Structures are given as structure tokens and as C-alpha cells.
Amino acid sequence: MPSGAEVQEHLTGVWRIMTGRADGFKMLDLSVDGFWNSFFAIVVALPALVVGWVGIANDMAGMLTVELRLFLLLRLFLADIGAWILPLVVLAVAARPAGIANRFVHYVVTHNWASAIFAWLMLPPALLRMFMPSAGELIVLVSLLLFVATLVLSWRVTVAAIARGPSVGSAVFFAMLVTSIGVLMALQALLGLNIQ
């Protein structure tokens, strides 16, 4: 498990990569331990994700009991974490045939830490949904703007991590985006989540 200082260094490194500074890779641990430690980013993202899940659960739960709300939160957790991890498993299988096996660790480490940043970037609309549910249009606008921003930043991180030029990086980015959305939708259906 990385220390607090290491987590901060990794997040700073990924942010530097997102903003076009390749020296951010020097701040990441790209060893085998660093690969596995990068999944600690899920723990870093968890508080922000929980706020979003609580808002969704409040919308979906109606008059459900506390126990059923907790079960709903568990299903939301499984769907989102599955959509985080399972596409990486798919990429692990496809990396060698795609000719990017030597950049797989770079991609996973940057993806994980970037995803933690994205979870926190998406916190404002989740808070609005919880505390100002009547501000529907504002919530949609803020969500859309932040979603587009995360897509752009994610594309930049992917292109830098793959290091094979914009065309290969873009192909990996779009393949992972489609896979993530597909996995999320499949898990939501499997878990009985009808999220609007």
C-alpha cells in the first residue's frame, strides 16, 4: 500500500501528464509493485464515488428500508468497480496482439491514478444532485462539461502512456472507452440497476 506522500506524488505525476508534461512519468512507480499499488487509486476515489452512489440510491430507493438501500449501494459499487477493472483485464489479453504489451504497465498505472482524479472532478454534480435535486438543468450542464473535460484528459493520458503516436493512442482510448461503457451497461443490467 502506498504512503500518503506516494499517493500525492502519483496524482501529481498523472496531472502533469494530463497537462502535456511527460516528466510526470518520473513521478510514477512503473515497477511490478507500482502496478499493483496503483489499484489503491480505487480507495482514493472511493469517497467521491460513494457520494455519487448515495445520490443515485436516493433517487432509486424511494421508500426502501435502510438494508435495501445498503444493498443498492453495494450493487452500484460492484458495477462501477467492475467497469474500472474488467476493461483492464480485456486490455491485458489484447495488449500483445495489439503490439502495446511493453506499454501495458504504463497505461494501467496512469489509468488508475487518473481515474481517481476523475472521480473527484465529478464530485460537484454528485453534490448538486444530493443537496439541490431541483436544479436538474444545472446538474446536467455541469455533468456534461466535466464529462467532456475528463474525456479530453483521459485521451491525453492514454496517448502519452501508449507512446505510439496519436493514432495508436486514440485507438486504444476509444477501444477502452467503448469496453468500459459496455461493461458498465452489462453489469448494471446484471445487477438490476436501471439508472437514468
Side-chain angles (χ1 to χ4, degrees), residues 91 94-105 107 162 164 168 172:
L91 184 62
R96 190 165 301 284
I100 57 169
N102 64 326
R103 301 299 292 184
F104 177 71
V105 170
Y107 176 82
I162 298 300
R164 294 278 303 277
V168 175
V172 172

Side-chain angles (χ1 to χ4, degrees), residues 113-124:
W113 293 115
S115 294
I117 292 173
F118 298 152
W120 285 96
L121 283 177
M122 295 303 292
L123 184 60

Side-chain angles (χ1 to χ4, degrees), residues 36-50:
W36 292 112
N37 285 340
S38 73
F39 288 94
F40 187 76
I42 294 172
V43 176
V44 174
L46 210 50
L49 293 173
V50 167

Side-chain angles (χ1 to χ4, degrees), residues 38-188:
S38 73
F39 288 94
F40 187 76
I42 294 172
V43 176
V44 174
L46 210 50
L49 293 173
V50 167
V51 172
W53 298 334
V54 168
I56 293 169
N58 286 343
D59 290 347
M60 295 176 67
M63 300 301 290
L64 295 181
T65 63
V66 171
E67 293 82 9
L68 289 175
R69 282 179 184 250
L70 290 175
F71 181 60
L72 183 56
L73 286 174
L74 175 62
R75 290 184 291 155
L76 290 165
F77 167 82
L78 292 173
D80 275 1
I81 299 307
W84 183 320
I85 294 173
L86 293 178
L88 297 177
V89 174
V90 172
L91 184 62
V93 173
R96 190 165 301 284
I100 57 169
N102 64 326
R103 301 299 292 184
F104 177 71
V105 170
H106 293 72
Y107 176 82
V108 171
V109 170
T110 56
H111 164 82
N112 284 339
W113 293 115
S115 294
I117 292 173
F118 298 152
W120 285 96
L121 283 177
M122 295 303 292
L123 184 60
L127 290 171
L128 284 171
R129 186 173 188 169
M130 281 183 66
F131 297 110
M132 296 177 60
S134 60
E137 291 182 5
L138 177 62
I139 294 168
V140 170
L141 177 62
V142 173
S143 297
L144 182 61
L145 291 174
L146 289 173
F147 179 69
V148 170
T150 61
L151 286 179
V152 171
L153 293 173
S154 181
W155 175 81
R156 292 184 71 143
V157 166
T158 302
V159 170
I162 298 300
R164 294 278 303 277
S167 58
V168 175
S170 295
V172 172
F173 168 76
F174 285 111
M176 291 300 288
L177 179 63
V178 169
T179 303
S180 296
I181 292 170
V183 167
L184 181 61
M185 291 175 66
L187 287 173
Q188 287 177 349

